[in-house]
Amino acid sequence: MASTLRAQLEELYALILKERECAKTMAMDELLHTVQAKNELLRSLQSVTKVAPEDRELAVAVREENRRNAYLFWASLGFIRESMSFFRKELSPVSYGAHGATVRGRSEGMLLRGRI
């Protein structure tokens, strides 16, 4: 573990960049290890109240890269939700009610049940 604040920020910056690369390449095992290391480092940084002027630029870069990752994960989650919604609609059987109107059943779909 790095001892000075600057070394910890540099390590955090490297972990954030590695986290993004793991997410882009779908290296899930490596991503989980990276996230765990990042969380441990963030826990050790919680007690920091002041950042030296010479370290502020690095701290801002860490914050911006972390925001980029957050946006990447948010956008990915949105894409996954959209895809699952599409497949639920496609896999849900269409049935008709007593008055001839279409009635959608439960939207679990065969994909989520493991039948495909």
Side-chain angles (χ1 to χ4, degrees):
M1 174 88 39
S3 58
T4 67
L5 178 60
R6 180 153 191 89
Q8 288 177 319
L9 288 173
E10 289 171 348
E11 183 180 350
L12 183 57
Y13 186 80
L15 285 171
I16 289 170
L17 295 180
K18 184 177 178 184
E19 179 184 48
R20 184 179 314 131
E21 288 306 311
C22 291
K24 289 189 321 189
T25 60
M26 303 285 282
M28 299 312 291
D29 290 335
E30 192 175 352
L31 177 63
L32 291 175
H33 292 296
T34 303
V35 168
Q36 184 179 10
K38 177 183 158 187
N39 286 337
E40 289 173 12
L41 187 54
L42 286 172
R43 267 189 239 113
S44 72
L45 288 170
Q46 281 182 330
S47 61
V48 175
T49 56
K50 282 191 169 188
V51 178
E54 60 271 9
D55 295 337
R56 287 187 190 192
E57 187 176 325
L58 180 57
V60 168
V62 165
R63 182 183 62 205
E64 292 304 314
E65 292 301 325
N66 201 41
R67 283 183 181 167
R68 284 183 67 193
N69 283 6
Y71 180 76
L72 172 68
F73 292 132
W74 176 78
S76 299
L77 181 61
F79 174 75
I80 291 168
R81 285 181 177 159
E82 216 175 277
S83 298
M84 291 306 297
S85 175
F86 171 77
F87 285 115
R88 279 188 205 125
K89 288 177 188 171
E90 292 297 312
L91 294 173
S92 296
V94 177
S95 51
Y96 297 93
H99 301 290
T102 59
V103 178
R104 287 253 180 226
R106 292 175 55 178
S107 62
E108 293 172 1
M110 295 186 316
L111 181 66
L112 294 178
R113 290 186 199 146
R115 293 186 182 175
I116 292 181

